[in-house]
Amino acid sequence: MTAGTASVEQVARGLVARAHEVALCLDFDGTLSPVVDDPETARPLQGIVELLEPLAQRFAAVAIVSGRPAPYLAEHVAAPGVRYLGQYGLQEMYEGAARADPRLEAARPAVDAATEALRNSPAVRESGAWLEDKVYAVVVHTRRVPDRERWTEAVDRTAREVAAEYGLEIVPGKMVWELRPPVPSDKGDAVRRVVAESGARTVVVVGDDIGDLPAFAAVARLASEGHDGLRVAVRSAEAPSELLASADVVLDGPEGVLDFLRRLAS
């Protein structure tokens, strides 16, 4: 793991010293959870969840910020005091119930129609690509496709055509295409909300994929507004180079994240 000229231990000590004014914003897939072929089986690395409650008690905020639905996050990363911002911040858990942006609810018929169109498309049906129903979005996964290189272009083209037909936008990721309503929001918006609502003066964002770039950009913008910030990238064979290049700290996989959180909790 690397952290510029400072060691990760030094970085963690600095954050712990002012924990009451630090907001921790953590991605899920590839960050807290190892990437797996079947997204339904993704679970946090053993030892991580147990650290979140004491961190939430000590820090200004601990939030899981993900493209996953908020109820999924609350179920599989259950820890008192943690915030769960799903659908890139457009859905959040409140007192055990999920609240979504009304614009998402209005777009559900379009998402349902797009899901059916994808399911019946030759590219998805014949490739064996898997569709993930996120209620307010649908995701095409090709990680389990046996001949992925053969099908990637066809799946990409189909996903874009279906998105255009039903007025949805595409959020790309590692071997995934997410079709969602074009409601302006990304992880950067979610991070800024966590900072504003917690009163934090410092924000730490930890992520591993293209969808985390807006969160990194939010850290830079908050820094220009007088906050302190730390961009933590999680390295893997699939991590985008632009994310690693813009990071202040690079950790090696969810195991590195576990070590980092242990240092913050100790």
Side-chain angles (χ1 to χ4, degrees):
M1 60 182 69
T2 56
T5 58
S7 70
V8 171
E9 182 178 358
Q10 289 172 321
V11 170
R13 285 180 178 175
L15 293 171
V16 169
R18 57 183 191 281
H20 65 284
E21 61 179 40
V22 176
L24 300 176
C25 297
L26 309 167
D27 175 43
F28 179 75
D29 291 285
T31 298
L32 301 184
S33 167
V35 174
V36 292
D37 289 340
D38 183 356
E40 288 290 298
T41 66
R43 298 292 184 271
L45 188 68
Q46 186 173 1
I48 283 182
V49 174
E50 293 81 357
L51 295 171
L52 296 181
E53 181 179 2
L55 288 172
Q57 293 174 348
R58 175 181 294 185
F59 284 76
V62 174
I64 312 302
V65 181
S66 171
R68 294 268 193 173
Y72 182 97
L73 301 173
E75 177 183 358
H76 296 296
V77 199
V82 174
R83 293 182 64 173
Y84 304 98
L85 285 77
Q87 305 280 4
Y88 302 94
L90 290 171
Q91 186 185 47
E92 186 170 2
M93 298 300 294
Y94 292 94
E95 298 179 353
R99 296 182 188 174
D101 187 300
R103 294 171 293 179
L104 292 185
E105 193 64 44
R108 282 189 67 176
V111 173
D112 292 341
T115 302
E116 189 65 18
L118 288 168
R119 184 176 292 115
N120 294 325
S121 70
V124 170
R125 188 176 61 249
E126 296 174 17
S127 69
W130 181 71
L131 297 183
E132 177 187 2
D133 180 5
K134 295 173 62 174
V135 182
Y136 301 110
V138 58
V139 187
V140 186
H141 295 264
T142 60
R143 185 175 293 277
R144 292 185 293 179
V145 171
D147 194 359
R148 191 165 52 240
E149 290 186 4
R150 172 190 171 193
W151 288 104
T152 294
E153 183 177 345
V155 170
D156 178 75
R157 182 171 59 252
T158 297
R160 295 183 186 281
E161 289 173 353
V162 170
E165 180 178 356
Y166 293 100
L168 303 175
E169 67 177 10
I170 286 188
V171 179
K174 291 180 288 193
M175 289 172 266
V176 302
W177 293 258
E178 177 166 342
L179 284 68
R180 69 175 194 176
V183 179
S185 182
D186 55 35
K187 288 188 179 182
D189 298 319
V191 167
R192 290 181 65 85
R193 190 163 90 239
V194 170
V195 170
E197 294 175 359
S198 67
R201 299 302 307 164
T202 300
V203 59
V204 179
V205 169
V206 187
D208 78 308
D209 202 356
I210 294 172
D212 298 300
L213 285 170
F216 275 27
V219 173
R221 184 175 175 185
L222 285 163
S224 72
E225 298 169 358
H227 290 74
D228 291 325
L230 189 71
R231 298 163 295 186
V232 181
V234 183
R235 179 165 33 217
S236 71
E238 301 169 359
S241 58
E242 55 266 47
L243 188 82
L244 297 173
S246 60
D248 304 303
V249 173
V250 178
L251 306 175
D252 291 320
E255 295 81 5
V257 176
L258 173 60
D259 177 72
F260 181 58
L261 296 180
R262 280 175 173 162
R263 294 176 188 273
L264 295 180
S266 64

